Amino acid sequence: MNYYFAPLEGITGYTYRRAHNKYFGGIDKYYIPFVAAHSSRNLKTREKEDIAPKNNEGMNAVPQVLTNNPDNFIWVAKEIADLGYKEVNFNLGCPAGTIVSKKRGSGFLAYPDELDAFFDKVFNGLKDVDIDISVKTRIGLNSADEAARIFEIYDKYPISELIVHPRTRKQMYSGKPDMAAFSQIAATSKHKLCFNGNLCTPDDIQNFADRFPEIDCIMMGRGLLSNPALAAMSKIRYSGERSTTNSCNEFTSHINRSLNADGSVNLKVLKAFHDELYNEYLETMPGDMVAVNRMKELWKYMGNLFEAPDKAMKDIRKANTPAAYVSAIRVLFSSGRLK
């Protein structure tokens, strides 16, 4: 099984990716939160930094692009190829209202004829460029009934990989993924598929693998934010990939360091991961409270690793100075227990 880390805007920037790769690993591809391709042909400084090869060394990183304009996509894909990347991912999954209202992300799915014309121009415009085009998609805007037409369009083009989140935009992240719809897609699609949606525990991953043995790739987002060792835990539990020898293999080294002998998350490694991430944010963000607030956003997910975390999470949420935040974290790691 291949494990991909989903792009989450505002959270999984290069600082997070580097720290995660260093302390936990187990990820075959890190997808970079989208860059928006505009007619100005300029990327924001933040976007340039996030896709800069120097900020993604030692990991397999894939830039993602958000647009509904084929010329703009072609331009930015060429820029990405010039940086040395071999894959660019097209975002047809983002459900945010500000994105959808501009007919981008999952909003573009409501216009299948325009989507078809988009791909026709993009693949013709990039036919001489050495870069693969993958797609991350939902199954429709309002109804899974839209999926047949959408995936019929995908089948017309040499998409390198389809990452399928089997929810509609209307669902956002509520309810369960539509596994019946995904089964139909898996049975009929001409493309290599990757599944994305509600894979939060090793059991979730194994249940999916048992149901879809032909699918050898999964993407996780919130599950990995909640437990950054999830990919490593799954690979150990179901693939027997843990090493008890002094292997030079980087992946096994990550696993042996990040997990305890029983396969649970190592608290010291989690603390080191937190400290490096927080200190990097303090150094690179415009103000200490910006760094604190970024960490608070992460704790909305990662707090679930601890037993009875309510009081500690309340103290973290209430922290209105860096000192208060550090104090709350010190208490959490000194007295908190992992599940």
Side-chain angles (χ1 to χ4, degrees):
M1 184 71 75
N2 290 304
Y3 296 75
Y4 296 171
F5 205 139
L8 292 103
E9 188 182 13
I11 301 179
T12 61
Y14 71 86
T15 301
Y16 182 94
R17 294 193 302 273
R18 291 194 306 201
H20 183 275
N21 188 53
K22 176 179 177 179
Y23 287 99
F24 296 101
I27 300 299
D28 297 285
K29 288 183 184 179
Y30 288 89
Y31 282 77
I32 300 173
F34 66 75
V35 297
H38 297 296
S39 298
S40 65
R41 303 294 169 89
N42 285 313
L43 297 179
K44 297 176 182 177
T45 299
R46 174 191 58 78
E47 294 173 330
K48 291 178 181 178
E49 290 177 349
D50 216 18
I51 65 173
K54 68 178 182 179
N55 290 330
N56 293 283
E57 291 179 352
M59 69 184 87
N60 187 4
V62 178
Q64 185 183 74
V65 175
L66 179 78
T67 187
N68 58 20
N69 183 297
D71 293 321
N72 294 344
F73 185 94
I74 291 167
W75 165 75
V76 80
K78 288 179 177 178
E79 294 288 308
I80 289 169
D82 287 345
L83 291 174
Y85 289 101
K86 298 300 182 183
E87 178 185 346
V88 61
N89 183 255
F90 182 39
N91 183 327
L92 286 170
C94 181
T98 53
I99 299 298
V100 171
S101 65
K102 296 177 182 177
K103 204 163 66 176
R104 296 184 294 176
S106 59
F108 202 3
L109 300 177
Y111 303 88
D113 291 342
E114 293 182 37
L115 184 64
D116 193 354
F118 174 94
F119 280 121
D120 182 69
K121 190 164 188 178
V122 162
F123 279 101
N124 278 304
L126 292 172
K127 62 184 178 181
D128 296 323
V129 179
D130 183 20
I131 194 163
D132 290 335
I133 301 171
S134 61
V135 172
K136 186 176 188 297
T137 184
R138 288 188 175 232
I139 58 174
L141 186 72
N142 297 308
S143 168
D145 293 339
E146 300 166 31
R149 172 68 174 132
I150 292 167
F151 283 82
E152 178 184 84
I153 292 169
Y154 294 154
D155 277 347
K156 293 173 61 176
Y157 299 99
I159 295 167
S160 63
E161 189 168 27
L162 273 176
I163 302 167
V164 181
H165 183 159
R167 282 187 173 98
T168 63
R169 186 272 166 179
K170 184 178 180 180
Q171 288 177 275
M172 299 295 283
Y173 296 99
S174 64
K176 294 182 179 180
D178 190 335
M179 301 310 293
F182 184 78
S183 294
Q184 180 63 25
I185 292 164
T188 58
S189 176
K190 297 178 181 179
H191 293 298
K192 173 179 169 54
L193 298 181
C194 176
F195 176 84
N196 173 223
N198 283 33
L199 297 175
C200 299
T201 69
D203 283 343
D204 293 338
I205 294 168
Q206 185 61 34
N207 290 338
F208 173 81
D210 289 344
R211 182 171 178 180
F212 296 96
E214 73 278 16
I215 306 296
D216 65 355
C217 173
I218 58 174
M219 173 179 274
M220 299 173 288
R222 292 172 295 166
L224 273 167
L225 291 182
S226 298
N227 177 4
L230 178 58
M233 291 173 72
S234 182
K235 285 190 173 183
I236 289 170
R237 182 173 175 184
Y238 299 114
S239 303
E241 296 186 46
R242 187 174 188 118
S243 172
T244 56
T245 62
N246 292 324
S247 171
C248 63
N249 181 278
E250 185 178 2
F251 168 66
T252 9
S253 173
H254 277 136
I255 283 188
N256 286 334
R257 183 174 67 247
S258 64
L259 299 178
N260 298 316
D262 63 358
S264 60
V265 180
N266 185 300
L267 185 63
K268 290 182 179 179
V269 172
L270 185 66
K271 178 62 162 55
F273 166 71
H274 166 275
D275 291 352
E276 181 162 319
L277 191 58
Y278 179 50
N279 288 329
E280 282 285 324
Y281 286 154
L282 288 173
E283 290 181 11
T284 59
M285 289 187 164
D288 291 354
M289 281 307 297
V290 178
V292 170
N293 289 331
R294 178 63 60 87
M295 295 306 300
K296 287 183 181 182
E297 185 70 21
L298 182 57
W299 279 114
K300 292 177 183 178
Y301 300 94
M302 210 160 60
N304 296 317
L305 276 173
F306 289 81
E307 291 184 357
D310 291 351
K311 184 181 184 307
M313 291 303 107
K314 182 178 179 180
D315 290 341
I316 289 172
R317 288 194 301 271
K318 288 172 58 179
N320 56 8
T321 66
Y325 174 76
V326 170
S327 177
I329 290 298
R330 186 181 299 117
V331 171
L332 175 66
F333 277 98
S334 63
S335 60
R337 297 183 61 182
L338 297 179
K339 293 178 181 177

